[in-house]
Amino acid sequence: MKNILIVAGTRPEIIKLAPVMLAAKRRGFAKLEVRLCLTGQHESMANEALAIFGIEGDENLRIMGANQTPNDVSAAIFQKLPEALRKYSPDVVIVQGDTTSAAAAAICAFNMRIPVAHVEAGLRSHDLDAPFPEELNRKVVTCTAQYNFCPTTYARQNLVRESVSRNTLFLTGNTIVDALRIISEQHNLDDLAKVHGSLRKPFVLVTAHRRESFGEGIEHICDALKQCSAKFPEYQFVYPVHLNPNINGPVRERLSNIRNVLLLPPVSYLVLLTLLRNCELVVSDSGGIQEEAPSFGKYCIVLRDVTERMESVDKGLSELVGTNTTRIVKAVSERIAKPIMVRKKRNPYGDGHASEKILDILMRAGKK
């Protein structure tokens, strides 16, 4: 293995793949080139993630366009990525997770007979509509991958059940734990004064923006938060609100002007981690936060009916409540009354050294 090309574009992809690049530099592989090809999606958020780790892209496809659909993203990747693959002639292409761009990049590499490595392989909700289109995207990448880097035994078992060759399956842990370890060492995540002048402890962190929650779902979530804020006036409920009008509109309409509900504009990743590190518990529909919360010892109430991250649910670190108002209020009330000591339980997503394991596997493969 001489030449690795990482393809990434969204903020979560960069955050989860940056530790692989940093691990390669730290290990000082003399004959190993690890390059980063940015897709050019969400440019400002991607640049923020790059700056956090002090890394830069080697190539930028600049595929971003107004009102893009998943088909538009796929078409742009199919048009622009092959030229970069010819330019760098990688021995392997690494993609992460379940974005449309990751699936399209994996297909491009497969069609050009370049081995594909999938970081965070094997996650499954077993419902193509939740999340959509991510559940299909991750299945597509699996079909192309010669290296499936599974973050947990659950993920590996999913692929075994799908009859994926066991020779392609590697249990590594999740690189998000690596990323959070690096960030915690290099950045101050305790300065709440810089987040907002009105922020105070104790507070509950809320994030909700998934398209599955549009309509009645987000309305029920807001109703639950309104009830919780009245029931627990000593707690603040801090909600960075997505700008999508399907979220922003209902949230502002229902939760503005409530004394102990603090609605924030979208926040940077470092601010989000500051909130997560200092909250009492988190209420979220985010898949990423389900992984990040255990790393900070926080219990997560998940605003989804199904999740591809059942590890934390089964270990009692989180629970699924969907968007049902009664269930949300009940879960928040129980956890405020009787907190669960997440810090005393083993993190199901890894030990913070997944990146080194991934590189070791690829280097060993390169010697065969």
Side-chain angles (χ1 to χ4, degrees):
M1 196 70 60
K2 301 176 182 177
N3 187 356
I4 295 174
L5 183 66
I6 294 173
V7 180
T10 66
R11 184 170 76 175
E13 287 174 325
I14 294 169
I15 289 168
K16 290 186 174 182
L17 290 174
V20 178
M21 295 188 67
L22 294 176
K25 293 179 180 179
R26 196 165 54 245
R27 297 276 286 273
F29 292 120
K31 297 182 180 180
L32 176 65
E33 288 280 354
V34 180
R35 296 185 176 93
L36 174 60
C37 177
L38 299 168
T39 61
Q41 296 163 270
H42 312 145
E43 200 86 56
S44 61
M45 296 178 75
N47 289 337
E48 174 207 335
L50 294 170
I52 289 173
F53 295 97
I55 60 177
E56 297 179 352
D58 298 280
E59 193 82 14
N60 193 328
L61 303 182
R62 304 192 186 283
I63 70 166
M64 191 66 181
N67 301 314
Q68 277 182 318
T69 68
N71 287 341
D72 295 330
V73 170
S74 297
I77 292 289
F78 291 145
Q79 180 183 21
K80 296 185 175 183
L81 181 59
E83 183 179 345
L85 296 179
R86 286 189 288 269
K87 176 180 178 180
Y88 293 108
S89 299
D91 297 305
V92 65
V93 168
I94 297 179
V95 297
Q96 189 279 330
D98 52 23
T99 63
T100 297
S101 55
I107 293 173
C108 278
F110 177 83
N111 286 341
M112 295 175 70
R113 296 291 188 177
I114 302 169
V116 174
H118 189 196
V119 173
E120 201 174 86
L123 273 64
R124 297 290 186 269
S125 69
H126 308 291
D127 183 346
L128 287 177
D129 289 323
F132 175 89
E134 289 85 356
E135 180 73 358
L136 176 62
N137 289 337
R138 57 175 72 116
K139 286 175 171 283
V140 168
V141 180
T142 295
C143 291
T144 69
Q146 292 188 23
Y147 303 94
N148 289 288
F149 297 124
C150 304
T152 65
T153 54
Y154 283 59
R156 187 180 187 280
Q157 289 165 2
N158 285 333
L159 298 186
V160 169
R161 282 192 290 268
E162 292 177 10
S163 299
V164 176
S165 172
R166 291 175 185 259
N167 292 334
T168 72
L169 306 183
F170 305 92
L171 183 62
T172 60
N174 197 311
T175 56
I176 189 60
V177 185
D178 304 32
L180 295 180
R181 174 176 53 80
I182 293 167
I183 292 171
S184 296
E185 291 171 353
Q186 297 181 355
H187 299 274
N188 177 13
L189 300 180
D190 289 313
D191 192 351
L192 292 177
K194 287 187 176 180
V195 176
H196 194 279
S198 300
L199 182 61
R200 59 175 174 77
K201 290 185 175 183
F203 68 89
V204 174
L205 174 61
V206 180
T207 75
H209 67 273
R210 299 186 74 86
R211 62 174 60 88
E212 296 98 306
S213 298
F214 291 176
E216 288 188 355
I218 192 63
E219 292 173 0
H220 294 163
I221 291 169
C222 290
D223 291 342
L225 294 174
K226 188 172 183 178
Q227 291 183 34
C228 288
S229 66
K231 189 173 183 179
F232 301 100
E234 71 278 19
Y235 276 77
Q236 198 173 46
F237 292 81
V238 181
Y239 186 173
V241 186
H242 200 282
L243 294 180
N244 187 307
N246 292 293
I247 297 296
N248 195 56
V251 171
R252 298 287 174 183
E253 179 183 342
R254 284 171 165 75
L255 298 178
S256 292
N257 302 317
I258 298 177
R259 183 186 61 81
N260 58 330
V261 173
L262 178 60
L263 301 180
L264 299 176
V267 297
S268 70
Y269 189 62
L270 291 180
V271 169
L272 180 65
L273 293 185
T274 299
L275 291 169
L276 185 56
R277 181 184 175 99
N278 289 278
C279 70
E280 297 299 309
L281 66 126
V282 58
V283 179
S284 178
D285 62 6
S286 164
I289 283 183
Q290 286 176 250
E291 299 165 345
E292 292 156 347
S295 295
F296 289 107
K298 306 300 178 179
Y299 189 85
C300 185
I301 295 171
V302 184
L303 303 172
R304 296 172 61 183
D305 295 312
V306 295
T307 181
E308 58 283 339
R309 296 168 174 87
M310 282 299 295
E311 295 87 351
S312 56
V313 176
D314 289 346
K315 290 186 178 295
L317 308 178
S318 64
E319 63 184 292
L320 296 172
V321 298
T323 58
N324 180 277
T325 299
T326 301
R327 291 179 64 190
I328 296 170
V329 174
K330 181 176 182 291
V332 171
S333 301
E334 288 177 348
R335 292 290 71 82
I336 287 179
K338 189 178 180 180
I340 290 178
M341 301 301 293
V342 174
R343 291 188 185 278
K344 293 184 178 180
K345 301 188 179 185
R346 183 181 178 186
N347 190 336
Y349 299 111
D351 59 5
H353 297 283
S355 302
E356 290 93 336
K357 295 171 187 174
I358 288 168
L359 286 172
D360 285 342
I361 291 164
L362 292 176
M363 294 303 292
R364 287 199 301 269
K367 293 178 181 179
K368 291 182 180 178

